[in-house]
DNA sequence: TTAGAGTTGATTTT
DNA sequence: AAAATCAACTCTAA
């Protein structure tokens, strides 16, 4: 009997390290890769334009990668809890594969779809590949199924499971999609499907964003892996990486310049043919030609690729570890190191998975109950960059414009909104970040807001980021605040050309 | 019960 | 640039 697989993409927008993809292909006569875009959810009130643009770019890249392997991506518009069950039935699929998603809304959505699939005798496979470890495995190791609320304990817990699984390879080819043209297949879905194809921003009701505006890196697996490998080729940068000492006011600039060039020479390849490929006729590396178009801040800017699963955490981890092994211990260590960042992500994912109501204060057992205000005037001033503190306002303008802020900027504005100055509820700030950030992630966003508001994880509430002093410490010449608050470019006084 | 630790403060001193 | 000081929180491990 022939097997037709429906491969449902949600996060995990990649062909490398994609166990659900391999499972869909295994012994199948045809595989139908689908992404369900819900236009009701993808609206300016819920998701910022920068993140939508990144998603659309990622979908186009995924489609191209699938086409290279003899397949293609079908983007269907509608509610996935309706579209997927109907598609399984109308397309006569016997197998449903998707990457496990541990966010609460996703667990509810997927339970509904699983139930419908099981009722129709469809085999469902949902492997864990968004995180380094399977969250169920990690949680099983926690006393009373309560994840640790400090990082050191988490590290021990993770270490007890050994090294994360190695990434699985991308398939060289994928069984063809179901016969028939796209319009016919879509028509079979009836009115649960309101359209198909990758839409434009405008079609979703967004203002267009010019190519050189907004978030300065393009979405997708191809670009994500390229940036990962460029980053890892900067051996000094990786070896010395300490998150707290990266400069939040560094403007986006070409990646080579951003990462300062490798002082530590790469290990010469063992294979002489490989060496010949890497060196041009003039003895210089060939990679320079493409580097100039990659823009980067002080950090790696890989988080949006992690959020959408364009880059696999396990691929990142193991490729990073290959380099760390070569460096023989001469590198920074968690919590501050690059590896430490991947483990922070894992830490928050586990906390979010093991804590009911992680996204809010009430009913959240790890969250301190505080009588925050919901003062609209303060909240709006903060959100719109009108507090009167140039450092805070510049950060918020950057968020709205680019969908991006450096990690420490996020700390500064979150501290300012909550315990530091305005005493507004952290949930209000988290909602703004959740909408605007290109890399907004349920576990990381809520976890960090609890951290910064001293609601959980961190409790030294007398340590406050000065809304003037902290920015001044990094932005000595005021270049950052002038870029995002152009009104400050105008110098008032007798010496308009004063430098 | 208590000592020690905690990714990323600000300011002053060396 | 790095270390000491300031003032002082809560949680974990012993």
């Amino acid at each position: 009997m022939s097997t037709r697989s429906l491969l449902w993409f949600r996060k995990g927008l990649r062909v490398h390290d994609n166990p659900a993809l391999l499972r869909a292909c295994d012994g199948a006569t045809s595989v139908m890769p689908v992404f369900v875009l819900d236009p009701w959810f993808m609206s300016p009130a819920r998701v910022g334009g920068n993140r939508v643009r990144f998603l659309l770019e990622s979908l186009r890249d995924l489609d191209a990668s699938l086409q290279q392997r003899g397949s293609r991506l079908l983007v269907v518009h509608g509610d996935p809890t309706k579209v997927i069950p109907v598609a399984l039935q109308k397309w006569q699929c016997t197998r449903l594969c998707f990457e496990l998603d541990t966010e609460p809304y996703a667990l509810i959505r997927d339970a509904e779809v699983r139930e419908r699939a099981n009722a129709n005798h469809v085999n469902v496979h949902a492997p864990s590949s968004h995180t380094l470890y399977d969250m169920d495995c990690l949680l099983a190791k926690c006393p009373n199924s309560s994840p640790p609320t400090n990082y050191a304990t988490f590290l021990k817990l993770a270490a007890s499971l050994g090294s994360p699984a190695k990434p699985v390879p991308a398939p060289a080819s994928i069984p063809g999609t179901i016969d028939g043209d796209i319009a016919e297949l879509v028509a079979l879905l009836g009115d649960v499907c309101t359209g198909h194809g990758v839409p434009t921003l405008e079609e979703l009701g967004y203002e267009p964003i010019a190519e050189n505006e907004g978030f300065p890196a393009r979405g997708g697996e191809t670009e994500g892996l390229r940036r990962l490998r460029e980053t890892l080729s900067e051996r000094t940068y990786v070896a010395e990486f300490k998150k707290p000492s990266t400069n939040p006011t560094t403007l986006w600039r070409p990646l080579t310049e951003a990462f300062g060039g490798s002082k530590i020479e790469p290990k010469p390849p063992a294979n002489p043919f490989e060496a010949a490929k890497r060196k041009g006729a003039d003895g210089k590396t060939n990679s320079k030609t493409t580097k100039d178009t990659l823009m980067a801040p002080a950090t790696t800017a890989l988080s949006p690729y992690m959020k959408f699963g364009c880059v696999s955490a396990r691929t990142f981890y193991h490729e990073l570890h290959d380099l760390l092994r070569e460096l023989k211990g001469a590198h920074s260590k968690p919590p501050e190191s690059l590896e430490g960042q991947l483990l922070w992500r894992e830490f928050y994912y586990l906390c979010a998975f093991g804590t009911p109501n992680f996204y809010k204060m009430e009913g959240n057992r790890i969250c301190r109950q505080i009588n925050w205000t919901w003062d609209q005037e303060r909240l709006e001033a903060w959100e719109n960059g009108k507090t009167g503190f140039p450092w805070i306002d510049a950060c918020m303008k950057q968020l709205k414009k680019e969908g991006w802020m450096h990690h420490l900027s996020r700390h500064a504005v979150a501290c300012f909104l909550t315990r530091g100055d305005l005493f507004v509820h952290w949930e209000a700030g988290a909602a703004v970040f959740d909408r605007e950030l290109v890399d907004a992630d349920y576990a990381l966003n809520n976890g960090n807001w609890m951290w910064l508001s001293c609601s959980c994880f961190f409790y030294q509430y007398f340590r406050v980021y000065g809304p003037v002093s902290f920015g001044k410490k990094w932005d000595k010449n005021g270049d950052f605040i002038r870029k995002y608050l152009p009104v400050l470019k105008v110098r008032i006084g007798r010496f308009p050309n004063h430098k």
Side-chain angles (χ1 to χ4, degrees):
Chain A
M1 191 189 136
S2 69
T3 299
R4 286 182 170 200
S5 299
L6 198 159
L7 174 59
W8 181 18
F9 280 101
R10 304 93 63 80
K11 294 176 187 170
L13 302 178
R14 60 173 185 264
V15 295
H16 77 283
D17 192 28
N18 192 333
L21 167 58
L22 296 191
R23 192 71 195 84
C25 294
D26 188 19
T29 43
S30 55
V31 173
M32 200 70 209
V34 174
F35 183 91
V36 186
L37 188 94
D38 192 338
W40 181 84
F41 185 76
M42 283 289 151
S43 67
R46 290 183 180 80
V47 184
N50 280 293
R51 186 154 86 246
V52 173
R53 180 172 70 164
F54 194 95
L55 170 65
L56 300 181
E57 288 163 350
S58 300
L59 292 175
R60 281 192 285 269
D61 180 62
L62 180 61
D63 184 31
S65 297
L66 292 171
Q67 288 196 30
Q68 280 169 19
R69 290 164 175 80
S71 183
R72 62 167 295 172
L73 181 68
L74 177 55
V75 176
V76 177
H77 306 183
D79 174 354
T81 61
K82 296 191 172 73
V83 170
I84 296 296
V86 172
L88 287 170
Q89 195 190 0
K90 299 287 182 186
W91 299 342
Q92 298 173 353
C93 295
T94 50
R95 187 190 289 166
L96 171 64
C97 303
F98 55 85
E99 182 186 59
L100 184 71
D101 187 334
T102 55
E103 289 183 26
Y105 92 91
L107 289 172
I108 293 166
R109 174 196 64 195
D110 297 348
E112 208 176 320
V113 172
R114 278 172 194 262
E115 199 182 319
R116 295 280 302 274
N118 289 333
N120 290 304
H121 311 291
V122 172
N123 292 313
V124 180
H125 304 273
S128 165
S129 54
H130 188 62
T131 46
L132 295 174
Y133 297 95
D134 184 324
M135 288 297 132
D136 280 316
C137 292
L138 277 177
L139 194 62
K141 290 242 166 192
C142 300
N144 306 318
S145 294
S146 294
T149 54
N150 74 72
Y151 186 67
T153 311
F154 169 80
L155 288 185
K156 283 181 212 157
L157 184 74
S160 77
L161 289 179
S163 190
K166 286 273 170 69
V168 297
S173 68
I174 299 169
T177 53
I178 296 165
D179 289 337
D181 71 43
I182 292 299
E184 283 172 35
L185 290 170
V186 166
L188 283 174
L189 301 177
D191 57 10
V192 299
C193 169
T194 57
H196 66 94
V198 180
T200 62
L201 271 183
E202 293 90 324
E203 283 164 355
L204 291 169
Y206 289 85
E207 292 289 318
I209 305 173
E211 183 65 24
N212 58 347
E213 301 252 319
F215 186 68
R218 303 280 61 85
E221 177 184 19
T222 307
E223 188 73 359
L225 287 178
R226 180 181 173 208
R227 297 185 75 94
L228 170 66
R229 282 153 191 168
E230 288 288 353
T231 302
L232 295 179
S233 75
E234 298 292 339
R235 296 160 66 90
T236 306
Y237 175 82
V238 174
E240 295 174 355
F241 187 91
K242 286 187 177 177
K243 188 73 161 280
S245 47
T246 55
N247 184 344
T249 65
T250 303
L251 302 177
W252 285 71
R253 61 213 194 286
L255 186 140
T256 351
E257 186 195 320
F259 294 170
S262 283
K263 279 175 267 174
I264 303 170
E265 284 298 314
K267 202 172 74 174
N271 180 342
F273 295 101
E274 186 62 25
K277 253 189 341 198
R278 285 166 57 152
K279 295 273 181 182
D282 57 357
K284 286 179 182 169
T285 59
N286 287 326
S287 55
K288 295 268 179 195
T289 50
T290 54
K291 268 186 183 175
D292 296 334
T293 56
L294 296 185
M295 302 295 281
T299 47
T300 67
L302 286 167
S303 54
Y305 302 95
M306 305 295 290
K307 180 251 159 37
F308 285 110
C310 300
V311 171
S312 139
R314 301 188 299 205
T315 299
F316 193 159
Y317 180 93
H318 284 288
E319 292 193 11
L320 171 61
H321 264 254
D322 289 344
L323 172 55
L324 296 184
R325 255 193 305 282
E326 282 181 35
L327 294 170
K328 296 180 174 35
H331 55 79
S332 55
K333 308 265 173 2
E336 296 162 317
S337 65
L338 212 46
E339 180 192 13
Q341 306 310 306
L342 284 172
L343 293 164
W344 276 108
R345 174 176 181 270
E346 204 73 7
F347 169 63
Y348 281 131
Y349 261 86
L350 177 62
C351 286
F353 181 60
T355 310
N357 300 313
F358 188 74
Y359 64 96
K360 59 182 180 178
M361 182 180 81
E362 281 182 37
N364 180 344
R365 67 175 175 226
I366 66 173
C367 183
R368 186 175 283 199
Q369 305 297 301
I370 294 170
N371 192 22
W372 304 107
T373 172
W374 287 90
D375 190 302
Q376 284 304 303
E377 202 182 334
R378 294 180 191 185
L379 178 60
E380 278 168 28
W382 174 82
E383 182 181 342
N384 298 312
K386 292 182 176 172
T387 67
F389 290 92
W391 158 242
I392 299 297
D393 292 346
C395 289
M396 294 305 292
K397 292 284 187 194
Q398 183 182 29
L399 173 65
K400 284 287 175 84
K401 199 163 176 275
E402 298 176 1
W404 176 262
M405 259 197 263
H406 182 278
H407 185 66
L408 292 179
S409 306
R410 302 181 194 195
H411 276 219
V413 301
C415 179
F416 183 86
L417 180 71
T418 57
R419 66 189 165 88
D421 297 83
L422 303 185
F423 220 74
V424 171
H425 205 304
W426 64 264
E427 289 174 26
V432 172
F433 274 25
D434 186 58
R435 188 181 67 234
E436 300 294 336
L437 282 170
V438 173
D439 60 10
D441 182 299
Y442 172 84
L444 280 57
N445 190 39
N446 291 301
N448 276 316
W449 274 93
M450 277 189 265
W451 182 295
L452 264 301
S453 61
C454 289
S455 297
C456 189
F457 311 115
F458 177 78
Y459 307 94
Q460 290 170 260
Y461 55 71
F462 48 86
R463 283 196 186 170
V464 173
Y465 292 86
V468 177
S469 57
F470 190 73
K472 235 167 127 180
K473 171 177 150 188
W474 298 103
D475 195 26
K476 294 264 193 300
N477 300 319
D479 295 337
F480 179 82
I481 59 169
R482 282 196 191 87
K483 171 165 174 139
Y484 294 102
L485 299 172
V487 66
L488 296 181
K489 281 181 181 165
V490 178
R491 293 164 187 271
I492 299 164
R494 286 192 296 147
F495 306 106
N497 295 319
H498 174 73
K499 292 273 178 189

